[in-house]
Amino acid sequence: MEQSFIMIKPDGVQRGLVGEIISRFEKKGFSLRGLKLMSVDRAFAENHYSDLAGMPFFNGLIEYIISGPVVAMIWEGKNVVATGRKIIGATKPVDSDVGTIRGDYAIDVGRNIIHGSDSVESARKEIALWFPEGQVYWHSNLHPWIYE
Ligand code: YYY
Ligand code: MG
């Protein structure tokens, strides 16, 4: 089954939005496969965002990600990458629809609360980076109530 890497950024943790964000993914029907609160160092954050190196906002982005603990998660389910991006909303909160996480809780792009993988391939890379210890496999008994 498809997986996505979802990370609550330091502002989401500081603002007490961890439970609300987890709840949205849970209520949709996705399954949690990994969850940890952690702080990352500069080299780790730069690796995670290596595709964006050279962008004018890169240094500010890295400072933001290392400014406090983040919640790293693996979520699983059919189309979880694309649907996760819909639940999260557009990169810039000004463009994010109301009802999305960024649309409901964020104002500035540089404080947009949450990260979600943008493709199945980047999800695979991000999960390998953030969860080198592997993940928790379990069977959700809700499966037949969520999938036809
Ligand atoms: O995948 P997503 O987080 O929606 O956007 P990306 O284009 O991958 O950029 C990653 C991250 O960089 C974004 O969530 C905020 C920050 N950022 C920014 O501060 N200013 C921009 N103009 C674009 C992105
Ligand atoms: Mg991205």
Side-chain angles (χ1 to χ4, degrees):
M1 187 82 86
E2 188 171 303
Q3 296 188 330
S4 188
F5 173 68
I6 304 291
M7 185 248 301
I8 306 173
K9 297 176 179 177
D11 49 342
V13 175
Q14 292 283 357
R15 291 178 54 194
L17 295 172
V18 172
E20 171 64 30
I21 289 169
I22 289 176
S23 185
R24 290 185 180 209
F25 282 84
E26 269 187 328
K27 287 177 190 160
K28 176 69 177 171
F30 293 133
S31 289
L32 190 59
R33 298 287 178 206
L35 172 72
K36 56 186 176 180
L37 179 73
M38 61 189 287
S39 295
V40 298
D41 63 17
R42 184 175 302 275
F44 189 98
E46 287 178 355
N47 189 3
H48 171 75
Y49 280 122
S50 57
D51 290 355
L52 298 174
M55 300 299 275
F57 56 83
F58 186 72
N59 284 340
L61 173 63
I62 300 304
E63 291 292 340
Y64 161 48
I65 295 301
I66 68 176
S67 66
V70 301
V71 174
M73 296 179 282
I74 303 168
W75 285 93
E76 184 175 293
K78 191 190 284 182
N79 299 319
V80 65
V81 170
T83 303
R85 299 276 297 186
K86 284 188 194 162
I87 291 170
I88 288 170
T91 302
K92 294 183 179 168
V94 69
D95 299 328
S96 310
D97 290 334
V98 170
T100 65
I101 292 167
R102 288 169 174 165
D104 288 350
Y105 301 119
I107 292 175
D108 269 348
V109 65
R111 298 289 185 274
N112 65 0
I113 294 181
I114 182 167
H115 166 84
S117 305
D118 63 7
S119 68
V120 172
E121 176 57 17
S122 49
R124 193 191 56 72
K125 279 192 212 156
E126 291 169 359
I127 289 167
L129 175 67
W130 288 81
F131 288 88
E133 70 275 25
Q135 55 183 275
V136 178
Y137 289 97
W138 60 288
H139 175 73
S140 168
N141 289 314
L142 285 179
H143 199 278
W145 299 105
I146 292 169
Y147 297 100
E148 60 183 17

Short mmCIF file of all heavy atoms in Angstrom, two decimals, residues 49 52 85 91 115-118 126, ligand 2:
data_model
loop_
_atom_site.label_atom_id
_atom_site.label_comp_id
_atom_site.label_asym_id
_atom_site.label_seq_id
_atom_site.Cartn_x
_atom_site.Cartn_y
_atom_site.Cartn_z
N TYR A 49 15.77 18.75 2.40
CA TYR A 49 15.35 19.77 1.42
C TYR A 49 16.40 20.00 0.33
O TYR A 49 16.45 21.08 -0.25
CB TYR A 49 15.05 21.08 2.14
CG TYR A 49 13.69 21.12 2.80
CD1 TYR A 49 13.55 21.34 4.17
CD2 TYR A 49 12.51 20.97 2.06
CE1 TYR A 49 12.29 21.39 4.77
CE2 TYR A 49 11.25 21.02 2.66
CZ TYR A 49 11.16 21.23 4.01
OH TYR A 49 9.92 21.29 4.60
N LEU A 52 15.88 21.89 -2.92
CA LEU A 52 15.61 23.34 -2.88
C LEU A 52 16.88 24.15 -2.62
O LEU A 52 16.81 25.38 -2.51
CB LEU A 52 14.56 23.65 -1.82
CG LEU A 52 13.19 22.99 -2.06
CD1 LEU A 52 12.25 23.22 -0.88
CD2 LEU A 52 12.56 23.53 -3.34
N ARG A 85 -1.45 15.65 0.26
CA ARG A 85 -1.18 17.03 -0.20
C ARG A 85 -2.47 17.86 -0.22
O ARG A 85 -2.44 19.06 0.06
CB ARG A 85 -0.56 17.01 -1.60
CG ARG A 85 0.78 16.28 -1.70
CD ARG A 85 1.96 17.12 -1.32
NE ARG A 85 2.17 18.26 -2.18
CZ ARG A 85 3.23 19.07 -2.08
NH1 ARG A 85 4.17 18.84 -1.16
NH2 ARG A 85 3.37 20.10 -2.88
N THR A 91 1.21 25.21 -0.98
CA THR A 91 2.44 25.62 -0.29
C THR A 91 2.27 26.96 0.41
O THR A 91 2.65 27.12 1.57
CB THR A 91 3.61 25.69 -1.30
OG1 THR A 91 3.75 24.39 -1.90
CG2 THR A 91 4.90 26.09 -0.63
N HIS A 115 4.78 19.41 6.46
CA HIS A 115 5.38 18.91 5.21
C HIS A 115 4.68 17.62 4.81
O HIS A 115 4.34 16.80 5.66
CB HIS A 115 6.87 18.60 5.42
CG HIS A 115 7.47 17.77 4.32
ND1 HIS A 115 7.94 18.33 3.16
CD2 HIS A 115 7.62 16.43 4.18
CE1 HIS A 115 8.37 17.36 2.35
NE2 HIS A 115 8.18 16.20 2.96
N GLY A 116 4.50 17.43 3.50
CA GLY A 116 4.02 16.15 2.98
C GLY A 116 4.75 15.82 1.69
O GLY A 116 4.97 16.70 0.85
N SER A 117 5.11 14.57 1.52
CA SER A 117 5.82 14.14 0.30
C SER A 117 5.03 14.54 -0.94
O SER A 117 3.80 14.48 -0.95
CB SER A 117 6.01 12.63 0.29
OG SER A 117 6.65 12.20 1.46
N ASP A 118 5.76 14.91 -2.01
CA ASP A 118 5.08 15.36 -3.23
C ASP A 118 4.94 14.28 -4.30
O ASP A 118 4.34 14.52 -5.35
CB ASP A 118 5.75 16.62 -3.79
CG ASP A 118 7.19 16.38 -4.22
OD1 ASP A 118 7.65 15.22 -4.22
OD2 ASP A 118 7.86 17.38 -4.56
N GLU A 126 12.19 9.98 1.50
CA GLU A 126 12.04 10.68 2.79
C GLU A 126 11.83 9.69 3.93
O GLU A 126 12.38 9.87 5.02
CB GLU A 126 10.89 11.69 2.69
CG GLU A 126 11.24 12.85 1.76
CD GLU A 126 10.07 13.76 1.41
OE1 GLU A 126 8.94 13.51 1.85
OE2 GLU A 126 10.31 14.73 0.67
MG MG B 2 7.83 19.88 -1.15
#
